Amino acid sequence: MSLDIAPSFLYMLLMAIKRIGILTAGGDCPGLNAAIRAVCRAASDRYGMKIIGIANGFRGLISEDAKVLKPEDFSGILTRGGTILGSSREKPFGSDDKDEVASEKVSAIMDTYSNLKLDCLVALGGNGTNTTCSKLAREGLNVIGLPKTIDNDIVGTDRTFGFHSALSIATEAIDRLHSTAQSHSRVIVIELMGHKAGWLALYAGVAGGGDVILIPEIPYDINVIASHLEKRAKSGKTFSIVVAAEGAMSITEMQMDKKDRKKYRLENGPSAAYRIAAEINAKTGMETRATVLGYMQRGGIPSASDRVLATSLGTAAADLLANGRFGRMVALIGNDIGSVELTVPEGKVKNVPANHYMIDTARAVGTCMGV
Ligand code: F6P
């Protein structure tokens, strides 16, 4: 018997992890069902565990909305978008950082965990979810986190599933904008998701050949963007595509305090693309349009690459369960699947580093990064 197998075999014999709860929380993304299927199949077929599906993220854990999942419940879902379990943005600890204060919701979660006789909870989610998991682990629950998000912004894992599928959708959208921008000799600003990180805009911008890419990590100077667009126009390029992350901000906005920035934003359009389009038009006089891709980026079937990552992370989570290795988040580390302590992603955001090679790649092909 190999050393790898021995601890899990022993753990199963001694501790017998029999019942696990599984939930999906936060914004959905392609690949969630593939991951649910992988956790459930490996946990039940390989390790003989019983799976309890919890509805709508932590909301279902608070209200004890749960049911036993049978094999037919997690069969045929590999390619399906969304999550069969439902999701919500419920944050049981609230949004402040007083994690030592066990709220009523946290007590309700403890009750549900014990009423359902769970031996462990597996939670699939983004930054908020993994932070909640870490806090629940400190409250004494056995918890395993499984990272997902189209934003790719979770510390501790090199990539999240959902990102690759969203990247394909965003790239196709940018491709499609080229023909209409060209026909009308316009500047089109497309806004992509990503929350406070610029991964999606940077990668889709490069893949779709955006002329300007704006990410939150590099506050932009509207004068630099204007002169880049004017130079393009003078060289005979009749249109331009600006790819902006939803969190993109100007140097001017960055220098404002939070209150003034909020006020400025409320007065200058519903979101980043509209603000940036208005600023470009005001500086250059060019006909400029804004478009927001929105929830399309999160919907639909997962890419092959996301299915593979989701399945690998799901089966790795089942291995952690069998080994009794709680308080951890499964992760892609280099080319391998591993895990990190849940404290690693807690309360953090993985931003695009200033020296990331993709920023230089974009610049090397003539893309303006806003400064
Ligand atoms: O976290 C994923 C994400 O899709 C972000 O890119 C976006 O800012 C957010 O969710 C939208 O959230 P909601 O579903 O709450 O509107």
Side-chain angles (χ1 to χ4, degrees), residues 98-277:
K98 294 182 192 138
D99 54 35
E100 66 278 10
V101 180
S103 64
E104 274 175 35
K105 287 177 177 176
V106 176
S107 314
I109 287 178
M110 306 307 248
D111 289 347
T112 302
Y113 188 92
S114 115
N115 293 345
L116 295 175
K117 299 187 172 42
L118 299 182
D119 296 304
C120 182
L121 172 71
V122 179
L124 286 63
N127 281 321
T129 304
N130 283 292
T131 295
T132 299
C133 286
S134 188
K135 292 177 179 180
L136 287 176
R138 275 205 292 283
E139 295 287 330
L141 299 190
N142 293 333
V143 192
I144 289 171
L146 198 158
K148 64 86 211 167
T149 168
I150 65 164
D151 302 339
N152 196 36
D153 63 348
I154 301 181
V155 173
T157 186
D158 287 340
R159 186 161 54 84
T160 53
F161 64 82
F163 176 67
H164 188 271
S165 310
L167 174 58
S168 301
I169 296 160
T171 303
E172 190 190 335
I174 297 169
D175 290 348
R176 287 176 182 276
L177 287 180
H178 273 80
S179 59
T180 175
Q182 185 264 325
S183 304
H184 291 265
S185 303
R186 281 172 176 161
V187 175
I188 299 189
V189 184
I190 176 169
E191 178 180 314
L192 300 180
M193 282 185 168
H195 203 218
K196 290 180 180 155
W199 297 103
L200 195 51
L202 178 59
Y203 276 66
V206 168
D211 305 300
V212 180
I213 299 175
L214 304 176
I215 60 175
E217 293 84 351
I218 307 179
Y220 66 84
D221 178 345
I222 192 62
N223 296 308
V224 172
I225 299 172
S227 73
H228 185 79
L229 297 176
E230 278 159 354
K231 212 151 75 197
R232 263 180 67 80
K234 270 192 203 120
S235 76
K237 308 267 173 62
T238 58
F239 71 95
S240 290
I241 305 291
V242 178
V243 180
E246 63 181 335
M249 72 161 86
S250 64
I251 292 172
T252 322
E253 282 175 282
M254 190 193 61
Q255 286 162 346
M256 294 173 183
D257 64 29
K258 236 178 168 182
K259 204 173 137 213
D260 287 347
R261 183 158 63 234
K262 200 171 170 197
K263 183 168 176 275
Y264 171 82
R265 289 186 166 179
L266 278 173
E267 287 167 0
N268 285 278
S271 65
Y274 292 92
R275 280 196 307 276
I276 295 162

Side-chain angles (χ1 to χ4, degrees), residues 24-79:
T24 52
D28 71 342
C29 76
L32 271 174
N33 284 326
I36 293 169
R37 168 181 174 269
V39 175
C40 294
R41 284 220 168 151
S44 63
D45 297 357
R46 202 177 235 190
Y47 299 117
M49 297 170 192
K50 194 162 215 165
I51 326 274
I52 319 297
I54 293 147
N56 307 319
F58 293 106
R59 193 185 291 163
L61 205 51
I62 292 165
S63 63
E64 208 174 317
D65 188 358
K67 66 163 192 172
V68 172
L69 295 184
K70 300 194 197 78
E72 54 270 32
D73 293 320
F74 45 85
S75 176
I77 62 168
L78 173 66
T79 63

Side-chain angles (χ1 to χ4, degrees), residues 294-314:
Y295 294 95
M296 228 100 71
Q297 292 160 98
R298 282 186 359 198
I301 62 167
S303 68
S305 161
D306 278 341
R307 292 179 206 180
V308 170
L309 180 57
T311 303
S312 310
L313 290 174

